[in-house]
Amino acid sequence: MKSELSVHDGPSNGSDASWRDPRRSAAERAAALVPLMSLEEKVAQLVGVWVGADASGEGVAPHQDDMMRDPPRWSEVIRHGLGQLTRPFGTAPVDPAHGARSLAASQAQIVAASRFGIPAQVHEECLTGFAAWRATVYPAPLSWGASFDPELVEEMAGRIARSMRAAGVHQGLAPVLDVTRDYRWGRTEETIGEDPYLVGTIGAAYVRGLEEAGIVATLKHFAGYSASRGGRNHAPVPMGRRELAEVVLPPFEMALRVGGARSVMNSYAEVDGVPAAADAELLTGLLRDEWGFTGTVVSDYFAVRFLETTHRVAAGGGDAAGIALRAGIDVELPTVDTFGAPLVAAVRAGEVDEALVDRALHRVLTQKAQLGLLDEGWQPMPEEVDRLRLDDEEAQDIALRLARESVVLLRNAGGVLPLAPGRRVALVGPLADDPMAMLGCYSFPAHVGVHHPEYGLGVDLPSLRAALGRLVPGLDHAPGCDITGDDTSGIAAAVTAAAGADVCVLAVGDRAGLFGRGTSGEGCDAEDLRLPGVQGELVRAVLATGTPVVLVLLTGRPYALGPEFDAAAGVVQAFFPGQRGGQALAEVLTGAVEPSGRLPVGVPRHAGGIPTTYLAPPLGRRSGVSSVDPTPAFPFGHGLSYTSFEWSDAAALVPPAEADPAGRARVRAAVAPAAGAPGGPAAWPVDGEVRVQVTVRNSGSRPGTEVVQLYLHDPVAQTTRPVVRLVGYARVPLDPGESARATFVVPADVASFIGIDGRRIIEPGDVELRFGRSSEEVMAVVPLRLVGAEREVGHRRRLRSLARVERHAAAPRTVEEGPA
């Protein structure tokens, strides 16, 4: 094999080309290459450069914005090699095929310019789809959570990954695994929900979809970002280590162990005074030493420089780079800054140990070897680039199915929904005819496209009015008001339209944006949970007409639905449901599709008294010692259907003492029926598992999907516990009259918590597993007793329950949520 060292000038430190040998492991190849590189070549692999693909297809150019007023010259950036290319597709609109050609041309330049000829690793945002012009825009993560469908989320992620690979991208900056802690936080729309089990199972499914298609998934934001004081972006996080371990960290554990993520991005947050980018205990002690993570840790954009400029724990760029490297950050994104000249100078001055650079470099090169970027003969041009299409029928079908499953019917008084044929319908509200109402802040049209209106949206994006108008002729429309601002002059027209109709659909909510350019999104935090602008006034005026009103909320966070909203006959919640969201909403409103979404976050009743989520101990709920009642208008997990369901035969099952000759445990007897029946609690070994089951029957006249939710209640523990917390769930689709049995295998490990001495333990004693339609609507209780000595568990504990749904006269099917 011809060594790359012989074709470029410069110091070689030997002629070992074994790093090119694909027969060696990725780690061995990286280890062989590290000592051959100069300091400048090493640090070049630890940085990215923010670029935008040229529409001509001839290359990329360094990006310029407020954080990079003097972008580096391209030739200077690449002369020692380059670690990453930042968002060549997600910076400005570019035809996908032209963008792929530009990226390939730039990769060829990178390979030719540097001594070792190593391509850059290319990353893009992909939270709601590949963040590129003309790429499918999927529902936002709160919609993933509302679907309670990890299988469909995994399918979506796999489709996103294939589109990214086809364009020459290697790494996706998703998913967001922050657990919602304060609904006022602008990035609530990017979270999957307020429960760590739901976030973990859905997030791990998304990771599997990316990773199995060859894209490096990046978990963010590690850790604590969503719990900022006052719901303010980047604000300090007042969180103890117990809350961090029990609420914030479990989704990351699940996504690493179950999903197989190969990259982690630090949080901007400081927890108890320590910024995540400077926290060696978090990024090295926990993530690597305890959890065994071997991938790369990349900085959130500008987070290393923020150690100097905002956190003020570093005296300059070199100091910030040293702190971040010591903590465990391997790559500085989005562009070369502190890990460039400041780091080189600090190493040469003896202020930063070069061994830290080597440690990070080995991780980076190992990942590049895994991606094939160290292979001789690597080709930059993707296959079939001329036929590259990022928004095809398959992708749109997935987007539509997920949008349908994510729509949550919160209230349906008097059967106002589905809309009856022949009724006069008024459609009012500022979101009624706004296509952008469907999109979250990290979608390309909202994130980038708004700055380039001359290019258009790039995808077909029907508004609610356009979609509903196809199913309900003769809609009378009036916007009533804007999303923001104090102009009430249009409310009278909306009231007139509503008063003249048999039913009024009123669409209100958010506009996604960034840093104050929207009402939801990064840097768009809310002072309280009242609807933005004068939308609340519009709602009250329309309700006062006496016409039955269906309130449709298109939002990135839950807004307070207090007593003044109780007059709404119907309430439908959608969380930025993507480019097919208008169609999905129209189908649910008219009954063409049955609603099956469930709330991934509670909907508060009052705009104040926050933050609070359902994961509260007794004194975090309504009590006689406070005048503030945090009881939500609609609780976590709530959602209605157009049919009805009956639940029965809840029981705990255990295998008999002996196995059959084939060695299979025979599950026969219902040891513990639902609460109130004789027999007492069933034994649940602290080192074992329990099987619980319930039967659900569709007792209505329409098909529908019930979401069976399983909650753990621990009445007495050595530390205060949430009244209930989710430990399992399953979607159960049923035709009229059909029944199904949902069986859950629940490992005792999911009952573990952080004990009084800081260890994660399973404590013996009485507990309950509660089957519920929501966190508040309990359908059956199975009493259990955890038996055995107190048991300590760690990172290798089982993280999930297995749910099995067996429909009547149909073969059993396993819902993806199996044990780790």
Side-chain angles (χ1 to χ4, degrees), residues 634-719:
F634 301 100
F636 173 87
H638 174 75
L640 304 177
S641 173
Y642 291 150
T643 190
S644 57
F645 299 96
E646 295 176 350
W647 298 45
S648 62
D649 302 327
L653 304 170
V654 295
E658 297 180 358
D660 68 16
R664 295 186 297 268
R666 295 171 294 180
V667 180
R668 288 179 177 170
V671 176
W684 186 5
V686 296
D687 59 352
E689 62 189 31
V690 68
R691 295 170 184 252
V692 294
Q693 68 178 28
V694 70
T695 298
V696 179
R697 176 177 173 271
N698 184 342
S699 56
S701 59
R702 301 173 64 103
T705 298
E706 183 69 293
V707 178
V708 176
Q709 300 162 47
L710 186 66
Y711 293 89
L712 175 70
H713 170 65
D714 190 348
V716 179
Q718 59 184 257
T719 63

Side-chain angles (χ1 to χ4, degrees), residues 721-787:
R721 308 297 305 137
V723 174
V724 292
R725 61 182 178 91
L726 188 70
V727 293
Y729 59 87
R731 289 177 61 90
V732 184
L734 295 170
D735 292 327
E738 187 181 18
S739 64
R741 182 171 62 225
T743 302
F744 294 83
V745 180
V746 188
D749 291 5
V750 303
S752 66
F753 62 94
I754 305 302
I756 197 73
D757 60 0
R759 297 178 301 121
R760 180 175 285 276
I761 61 168
I762 303 169
E763 187 179 39
D766 289 349
V767 296
E768 295 174 353
L769 286 175
R770 298 178 174 181
F771 288 106
R773 284 196 172 114
S774 73
S775 57
E776 292 295 323
E777 189 176 1
V778 178
M779 305 304 295
V781 175
V782 179
L784 300 163
R785 179 167 295 152
L786 284 161
V787 295

Side-chain angles (χ1 to χ4, degrees), residues 3 92 106 388 410 537 625 752 819:
S3 172
S106 296
L388 182 61
L410 299 181
E537 189 173 339
V625 297
S752 66

Side-chain angles (χ1 to χ4, degrees), residues 172-402:
L173 301 189
V176 171
L177 297 182
D178 299 296
V179 178
T180 301
R181 302 301 285 161
D182 189 329
Y183 308 141
R184 295 172 297 180
W185 190 48
R187 303 190 79 167
T188 295
E189 64 169 73
E190 300 177 49
T191 71
I192 295 169
E194 67 182 50
D195 178 89
Y197 188 87
L198 180 66
V199 174
T201 51
I202 296 289
Y206 180 93
V207 168
R208 277 196 307 274
L210 287 191
E211 290 284 356
E212 289 181 2
I215 291 292
V216 175
T218 309
L219 311 182
K220 58 186 193 181
H221 307 86
F222 194 66
Y225 189 24
S226 59
S228 58
R229 184 176 284 117
R232 296 177 57 246
N233 196 34
H234 290 223
V237 175
M239 177 185 292
R241 291 293 167 177
R242 180 169 284 104
E243 181 181 355
L244 184 73
E246 292 188 348
V247 178
V248 171
L249 295 178
F252 291 93
E253 287 185 272
M254 205 176 292
L256 290 170
R257 283 185 51 204
V258 180
R262 286 180 285 171
S263 191
V264 171
M265 175 179 279
N266 74 280
S267 160
Y268 286 125
E270 59 169 90
V271 178
D272 196 24
V274 180
D279 193 344
E281 181 181 346
L282 177 72
L283 299 181
T284 298
L286 177 71
L287 180 62
R288 296 193 183 276
D289 297 344
E290 184 175 336
W291 290 1
F293 178 64
T294 59
T296 59
V297 176
V298 300
S299 79
D300 205 341
Y301 285 14
F302 309 108
V304 180
R305 178 63 74 175
F306 286 164
L307 294 176
E308 174 199 1
T309 60
T310 63
H311 293 297
R312 300 183 184 178
V313 297
D319 190 22
I323 291 172
L325 277 172
R326 280 188 287 272
I329 287 181
D330 304 313
V331 179
E332 181 182 29
L333 298 180
T335 204
V336 56
D337 184 16
T338 71
F339 275 28
L343 176 57
V344 171
V347 171
R348 296 212 188 281
E351 298 165 358
V352 175
D353 189 344
E354 189 170 352
L356 294 173
V357 175
D358 291 348
R359 181 180 73 171
L361 176 63
H362 183 266
R363 295 164 182 165
V364 168
L365 294 177
T366 297
Q367 191 162 97
K368 285 196 171 187
Q370 293 169 348
L371 293 168
L373 298 179
L374 299 190
D375 293 353
E376 196 164 34
W378 175 85
Q379 295 296 319
M381 187 67 70
E383 296 180 2
E384 300 183 342
V385 66
D386 291 329
R387 294 194 291 173
L388 182 61
R389 186 182 175 196
L390 304 180
D391 184 34
D392 58 18
E393 291 182 1
E394 177 193 355
Q396 292 181 28
D397 175 69
I398 296 170
L400 176 59
R401 286 188 283 130
L402 184 54

